[in-house]
Amino acid sequence: MIELRDVHRRYDRVHALRGISLDVEAGQRFGIVGESGSGKSTLVRLLAGLDRPTSGEISFQGQRIDGLPERKLGFLRSALQVVFQDPMGSLDPRMRVRDIICEPLGRTDRERAAELLAAVGLPADSGDRYPHQFSGGQRQRISIARALAPRPSVLVADEPVSALDVSVRKQILDLLADLVDRFDLTLVFVSHDLGVVRRVCDTVAVMRRGEIVERGEVAEVYDAPRHPYTRELIAAAPNLRAELARLRGGA
Ligand SMILES: Nc1ncnc2c1ncn2[C@@H]1O[C@H](COP(=O)(O)OP(=O)(O)OP(=O)(O)O)[C@@H](O)[C@H]1O
Ligand SMILES: [Mg+2]
Protein backbone atom coordinates (compact mmCIF):
# COMPACT_ATOMS: atom_id res chain seq x y z
CA MET A 1 0.00 0.00 0.00
CA ILE A 2 2.73 2.43 1.07
CA GLU A 3 6.43 2.09 0.43
CA LEU A 4 9.26 4.35 1.53
CA ARG A 5 12.87 3.91 0.41
CA ASP A 6 15.66 5.78 2.12
CA VAL A 7 13.58 8.89 2.70
CA HIS A 8 15.29 11.99 4.06
CA ARG A 9 13.73 15.32 4.99
CA ARG A 10 15.92 18.22 5.98
CA TYR A 11 14.75 21.59 7.13
CA ASP A 12 17.34 24.36 7.36
CA ARG A 13 19.37 23.06 10.24
CA VAL A 14 17.24 20.09 11.22
CA HIS A 15 17.62 16.65 9.66
CA ALA A 16 14.10 15.49 10.55
CA LEU A 17 14.11 12.16 8.70
CA ARG A 18 17.35 10.25 8.18
CA GLY A 19 16.83 7.42 5.76
CA ILE A 20 13.40 5.97 6.50
CA SER A 21 12.48 2.76 4.68
CA LEU A 22 9.20 1.03 5.42
CA ASP A 23 6.32 -0.92 3.90
CA VAL A 24 2.73 -0.73 4.99
CA GLU A 25 0.65 -3.62 3.65
CA ALA A 26 -3.04 -3.40 2.82
CA GLY A 27 -5.11 -4.09 5.92
CA GLN A 28 -2.25 -3.53 8.31
CA ARG A 29 -2.60 -1.40 11.43
CA PHE A 30 0.79 0.19 11.46
CA GLY A 31 1.82 2.08 14.58
CA ILE A 32 4.61 4.66 14.72
CA VAL A 33 5.93 5.55 18.16
CA GLY A 34 8.73 7.80 19.30
CA GLU A 35 9.46 10.78 21.50
CA SER A 36 8.60 14.36 20.63
CA GLY A 37 10.69 15.63 17.72
CA SER A 38 11.58 12.15 16.42
CA GLY A 39 10.01 12.96 13.04
CA LYS A 40 6.61 11.27 13.26
CA SER A 41 4.52 14.16 11.95
CA THR A 42 7.09 14.92 9.26
CA LEU A 43 6.67 11.33 8.09
CA VAL A 44 2.88 11.73 8.10
CA ARG A 45 3.05 14.88 5.98
CA LEU A 46 5.23 13.10 3.44
CA LEU A 47 2.88 10.08 3.27
CA ALA A 48 -0.07 12.38 2.69
CA GLY A 49 1.71 14.33 -0.03
CA LEU A 50 1.52 17.50 2.08
CA ASP A 51 5.30 17.82 1.99
CA ARG A 52 8.11 16.42 -0.16
CA PRO A 53 11.20 14.44 0.83
CA THR A 54 14.61 16.01 0.35
CA SER A 55 15.65 12.65 -1.13
CA GLY A 56 14.33 9.10 -1.33
CA GLU A 57 11.27 7.43 -2.84
CA ILE A 58 7.67 7.24 -1.67
CA SER A 59 5.09 5.08 -3.45
CA PHE A 60 1.38 4.73 -2.84
CA GLN A 61 -0.32 1.65 -4.31
CA GLY A 62 2.68 1.16 -6.55
CA GLN A 63 2.78 4.73 -7.85
CA ARG A 64 5.57 7.16 -7.02
CA ILE A 65 4.22 10.24 -5.27
CA ASP A 66 7.39 11.97 -4.05
CA GLY A 67 7.92 13.96 -7.21
CA LEU A 68 4.32 14.53 -8.25
CA PRO A 69 3.05 18.10 -8.60
CA GLU A 70 0.00 19.08 -6.55
CA ARG A 71 -2.39 18.82 -9.52
CA LYS A 72 -1.51 15.13 -9.93
CA LEU A 73 -2.08 14.24 -6.28
CA GLY A 74 -5.88 14.13 -6.50
CA PHE A 75 -6.04 10.33 -6.22
CA LEU A 76 -3.94 10.39 -3.06
CA ARG A 77 -6.07 13.12 -1.47
CA SER A 78 -9.13 10.87 -1.52
CA ALA A 79 -7.46 7.47 -1.07
CA LEU A 80 -5.45 8.55 1.97
CA GLN A 81 -7.02 10.70 4.65
CA VAL A 82 -5.43 12.16 7.76
CA VAL A 83 -6.91 12.76 11.20
CA PHE A 84 -4.88 15.26 13.20
CA GLN A 85 -4.32 15.73 16.91
CA ASP A 86 -6.22 18.92 17.51
CA PRO A 87 -9.80 18.67 16.25
CA MET A 88 -10.54 22.34 17.01
CA GLY A 89 -7.60 23.57 14.97
CA SER A 90 -8.58 21.46 11.97
CA LEU A 91 -12.31 22.33 11.90
CA ASP A 92 -13.44 25.67 10.48
CA PRO A 93 -15.52 27.29 13.26
CA ARG A 94 -17.75 29.15 10.77
CA MET A 95 -18.82 26.04 8.89
CA ARG A 96 -21.72 23.77 9.75
CA VAL A 97 -20.71 20.24 10.63
CA ARG A 98 -22.49 18.86 7.57
CA ASP A 99 -20.40 21.06 5.27
CA ILE A 100 -17.20 20.23 7.16
CA ILE A 101 -17.80 16.53 6.82
CA CYS A 102 -18.51 16.83 3.10
CA GLU A 103 -15.55 19.14 2.43
CA PRO A 104 -13.35 16.41 0.88
CA LEU A 105 -16.20 15.60 -1.54
CA GLY A 106 -16.22 19.10 -2.97
CA ARG A 107 -19.97 19.46 -2.39
CA THR A 108 -22.40 18.87 0.47
CA ASP A 109 -24.39 15.66 0.26
CA ARG A 110 -26.95 15.53 3.10
CA GLU A 111 -27.49 11.80 2.85
CA ARG A 112 -23.81 10.97 2.92
CA ALA A 113 -23.32 13.38 5.85
CA ALA A 114 -26.10 11.62 7.78
CA GLU A 115 -24.52 8.23 7.06
CA LEU A 116 -21.15 9.44 8.28
CA LEU A 117 -22.55 11.04 11.44
CA ALA A 118 -24.22 7.74 12.27
CA ALA A 119 -20.99 5.83 11.56
CA VAL A 120 -19.06 7.91 14.11
CA GLY A 121 -21.85 7.82 16.69
CA LEU A 122 -23.04 11.44 16.56
CA PRO A 123 -26.72 12.45 16.77
CA ALA A 124 -28.47 12.92 13.43
CA ASP A 125 -29.09 16.64 13.99
CA SER A 126 -25.35 17.37 14.46
CA GLY A 127 -25.06 18.37 10.81
CA ASP A 128 -26.86 21.65 11.41
CA ARG A 129 -24.58 22.69 14.25
CA TYR A 130 -21.13 24.30 14.52
CA PRO A 131 -17.90 22.81 15.93
CA HIS A 132 -17.91 24.90 19.14
CA GLN A 133 -21.20 23.26 20.13
CA PHE A 134 -19.42 19.93 20.60
CA SER A 135 -17.05 18.44 23.17
CA GLY A 136 -13.44 17.57 22.30
CA GLY A 137 -14.27 13.91 21.81
CA GLN A 138 -17.26 14.76 19.61
CA ARG A 139 -15.13 17.13 17.55
CA GLN A 140 -12.66 14.33 16.95
CA ARG A 141 -15.61 12.21 15.79
CA ILE A 142 -16.43 14.99 13.31
CA SER A 143 -12.82 14.93 12.00
CA ILE A 144 -13.03 11.17 11.62
CA ALA A 145 -16.34 11.45 9.73
CA ARG A 146 -14.75 13.98 7.38
CA ALA A 147 -11.76 11.68 6.81
CA LEU A 148 -14.09 8.82 5.89
CA ALA A 149 -16.20 10.91 3.48
CA PRO A 150 -14.25 10.17 0.27
CA ARG A 151 -14.12 6.42 1.11
CA PRO A 152 -10.35 6.29 1.59
CA SER A 153 -8.42 3.03 1.66
CA VAL A 154 -5.86 4.39 4.12
CA LEU A 155 -6.51 6.33 7.30
CA VAL A 156 -3.54 8.10 8.88
CA ALA A 157 -4.05 9.30 12.44
CA ASP A 158 -1.43 11.60 13.98
CA GLU A 159 -1.85 11.56 17.78
CA PRO A 160 -5.64 11.47 17.42
CA VAL A 161 -6.37 11.19 21.15
CA SER A 162 -3.46 13.11 22.69
CA ALA A 163 -5.46 16.34 23.03
CA LEU A 164 -8.47 14.59 24.57
CA ASP A 165 -9.50 13.93 28.16
CA VAL A 166 -8.26 10.59 29.36
CA SER A 167 -11.90 9.61 29.93
CA VAL A 168 -12.81 9.82 26.23
CA ARG A 169 -9.57 8.47 24.74
CA LYS A 170 -10.68 4.86 24.91
CA GLN A 171 -14.00 5.64 23.19
CA ILE A 172 -12.26 7.32 20.27
CA LEU A 173 -9.67 4.54 19.98
CA ASP A 174 -12.41 1.90 20.00
CA LEU A 175 -14.31 3.88 17.37
CA LEU A 176 -11.22 4.07 15.15
CA ALA A 177 -10.52 0.35 15.50
CA ASP A 178 -14.17 -0.41 14.74
CA LEU A 179 -14.25 1.79 11.62
CA VAL A 180 -10.98 0.34 10.34
CA ASP A 181 -12.57 -3.11 10.56
CA ARG A 182 -15.90 -2.11 9.12
CA PHE A 183 -14.56 -0.22 6.12
CA ASP A 184 -11.55 -2.46 5.53
CA LEU A 185 -9.10 0.36 6.01
CA THR A 186 -5.35 0.31 6.29
CA LEU A 187 -4.35 2.30 9.36
CA VAL A 188 -1.18 4.28 10.04
CA PHE A 189 -1.36 5.37 13.64
CA VAL A 190 1.12 7.79 15.18
CA SER A 191 1.53 8.23 18.91
CA HIS A 192 4.11 8.93 21.56
CA ASP A 193 2.05 6.64 23.82
CA LEU A 194 3.02 2.98 23.59
CA GLY A 195 -0.11 1.83 25.39
CA VAL A 196 -2.33 3.46 22.80
CA VAL A 197 -0.39 1.86 19.92
CA ARG A 198 -0.58 -1.51 21.63
CA ARG A 199 -4.35 -1.18 21.82
CA VAL A 200 -5.01 -0.46 18.15
CA CYS A 201 -2.03 -1.67 16.07
CA ASP A 202 -0.69 -5.02 14.92
CA THR A 203 2.69 -3.73 13.73
CA VAL A 204 4.89 -1.03 15.21
CA ALA A 205 7.90 1.01 14.13
CA VAL A 206 9.89 2.84 16.80
CA MET A 207 11.35 6.15 15.70
CA ARG A 208 14.20 8.02 17.26
CA ARG A 209 15.82 11.16 15.90
CA GLY A 210 14.56 10.67 12.38
CA GLU A 211 15.34 6.97 12.14
CA ILE A 212 13.41 3.76 12.65
CA VAL A 213 15.37 1.86 15.28
CA GLU A 214 13.10 -1.16 15.59
CA ARG A 215 10.00 -2.60 13.98
CA GLY A 216 7.93 -5.74 14.18
CA GLU A 217 4.70 -7.22 15.42
CA VAL A 218 3.38 -5.25 18.35
CA ALA A 219 3.26 -8.22 20.72
CA GLU A 220 6.86 -9.20 19.91
CA VAL A 221 8.35 -5.75 20.11
CA TYR A 222 6.64 -5.00 23.43
CA ASP A 223 7.42 -8.40 24.96
CA ALA A 224 11.01 -8.61 23.81
CA PRO A 225 12.31 -5.21 22.68
CA ARG A 226 15.69 -5.49 21.00
CA HIS A 227 16.77 -1.88 20.80
CA PRO A 228 17.84 -0.13 24.02
CA TYR A 229 15.70 2.88 23.07
CA THR A 230 12.57 0.71 22.82
CA ARG A 231 13.36 -0.72 26.26
CA GLU A 232 13.73 2.80 27.58
CA LEU A 233 10.35 3.81 26.15
CA ILE A 234 8.67 0.79 27.71
CA ALA A 235 10.34 1.39 31.04
CA ALA A 236 9.17 4.99 30.97
CA ALA A 237 5.52 3.93 30.54
CA PRO A 238 4.48 2.67 33.99
CA ASN A 239 0.91 1.75 33.03
CA LEU A 240 2.10 -0.22 30.07
CA ARG A 241 4.66 -2.01 32.24
CA ALA A 242 1.95 -3.02 34.68
CA GLU A 243 -0.27 -4.22 31.86
CA LEU A 244 2.51 -6.29 30.28
CA ALA A 245 3.31 -7.84 33.66
CA ARG A 246 -0.35 -8.73 34.10
CA LEU A 247 -0.52 -10.27 30.63
CA ARG A 248 2.60 -12.33 31.28
CA GLY A 249 1.33 -13.37 34.70
CA GLY A 250 -1.88 -14.57 33.14
CA ALA A 251 -0.11 -16.53 30.41
N1 LIG B 1 8.44 23.00 8.87
C1 LIG B 1 9.50 22.78 9.65
N2 LIG B 1 10.56 23.62 9.63
C2 LIG B 1 11.65 23.39 10.39
N3 LIG B 1 11.79 22.34 11.22
C3 LIG B 1 10.77 21.47 11.28
C4 LIG B 1 9.57 21.64 10.52
N4 LIG B 1 8.74 20.60 10.79
C5 LIG B 1 9.38 19.84 11.69
N5 LIG B 1 10.60 20.35 11.99
C6 LIG B 1 11.59 19.77 12.92
O1 LIG B 1 11.75 18.40 12.57
C7 LIG B 1 11.87 17.58 13.73
C8 LIG B 1 10.79 16.53 13.72
O2 LIG B 1 9.52 17.16 13.94
P1 LIG B 1 8.15 16.37 13.94
O3 LIG B 1 7.07 17.36 14.09
O4 LIG B 1 8.10 15.49 12.76
O5 LIG B 1 8.27 15.48 15.27
P2 LIG B 1 7.19 14.59 16.00
O6 LIG B 1 7.82 13.26 16.21
O7 LIG B 1 5.91 14.65 15.27
O8 LIG B 1 7.05 15.31 17.42
P3 LIG B 1 5.76 15.46 18.37
O9 LIG B 1 5.65 14.14 19.12
O10 LIG B 1 6.13 16.56 19.30
O11 LIG B 1 4.57 15.75 17.53
C9 LIG B 1 11.82 18.54 14.91
O12 LIG B 1 13.13 18.85 15.29
C10 LIG B 1 11.10 19.74 14.35
O13 LIG B 1 11.47 20.90 15.05
MG1 LIG C 1 3.95 15.25 15.80
Side-chain angles (χ1 to χ4, degrees):
M1 192 63 91
I2 301 170
E3 202 179 320
L4 275 77
R5 288 288 164 266
D6 198 22
V7 167
H8 290 256
R9 180 63 170 102
R10 287 171 201 272
Y11 300 104
D12 292 337
R13 271 173 303 145
V14 182
H15 198 165
L17 297 179
R18 302 163 181 257
I20 300 286
S21 295
L22 64 83
D23 293 279
V24 179
E25 312 286 342
Q28 220 167 22
R29 298 172 174 210
F30 196 99
I32 298 173
V33 292
E35 66 200 348
S36 182
S38 55
K40 305 181 297 294
S41 295
T42 302
L43 182 58
V44 164
R45 286 196 298 276
L46 294 182
L47 293 181
L50 302 170
D51 186 19
R52 302 280 185 274
T54 310
S55 66
E57 297 182 3
I58 305 176
S59 303
F60 181 76
Q61 294 179 330
Q63 185 177 349
R64 286 281 292 274
I65 60 161
D66 49 88
L68 285 185
E70 182 62 36
R71 66 190 158 74
K72 291 201 169 164
L73 281 175
F75 75 100
L76 183 67
R77 294 271 185 271
S78 51
L80 182 151
Q81 284 283 315
V82 189
V83 173
F84 293 99
Q85 172 174 348
D86 170 20
M88 208 48 190
S90 62
L91 304 177
D92 185 337
R94 292 155 309 178
M95 282 172 70
R96 284 185 203 275
V97 165
R98 177 181 302 111
D99 300 321
I100 291 174
I101 290 177
C102 292
E103 222 179 353
L105 302 175
R107 66 183 180 90
T108 295
D109 174 339
R110 296 182 78 98
E111 222 168 282
R112 180 80 180 125
E115 247 172 60
L116 289 160
L117 285 170
V120 299
L122 286 173
D125 63 1
S126 305
D128 293 323
R129 298 158 67 193
Y130 293 90
H132 73 267
Q133 298 174 285
F134 295 85
S135 69
Q138 289 173 322
R139 284 198 287 264
Q140 199 54 302
R141 288 176 194 264
I142 297 170
S143 311
I144 293 167
R146 175 176 58 185
L148 295 176
R151 305 184 194 281
S153 46
V154 180
L155 192 64
V156 179
D158 189 353
E159 305 268 13
V161 298
S162 306
L164 303 179
D165 271 11
V166 173
S167 59
V168 296
R169 281 183 192 170
K170 185 177 177 302
Q171 294 169 21
I172 299 295
L173 292 174
D174 288 347
L175 173 69
L176 273 172
D178 178 51
L179 293 168
V180 164
D181 263 352
R182 223 165 113 194
F183 298 117
D184 243 341
L185 300 169
T186 302
L187 178 70
V188 177
F189 187 98
V190 172
S191 181
H192 65 278
D193 184 332
L194 287 101
V196 164
V197 167
R198 186 180 172 92
R199 192 185 284 276
V200 281
C201 299
D202 50 48
T203 308
V204 62
V206 180
M207 283 187 70
R208 184 192 193 203
R209 294 182 192 157
E211 292 178 302
I212 291 178
V213 296
E214 177 158 4
R215 92 190 69 203
E217 282 177 29
V218 162
E220 276 174 28
V221 171
Y222 285 27
D223 275 352
R226 276 162 299 160
H227 196 281
Y229 178 65
T230 314
R231 281 184 222 133
E232 238 175 76
L233 277 182
I234 291 174
N239 295 336
L240 177 75
R241 222 164 44 205
E243 191 186 327
L244 290 175
R246 205 171 51 237
L247 287 174
R248 279 199 211 97

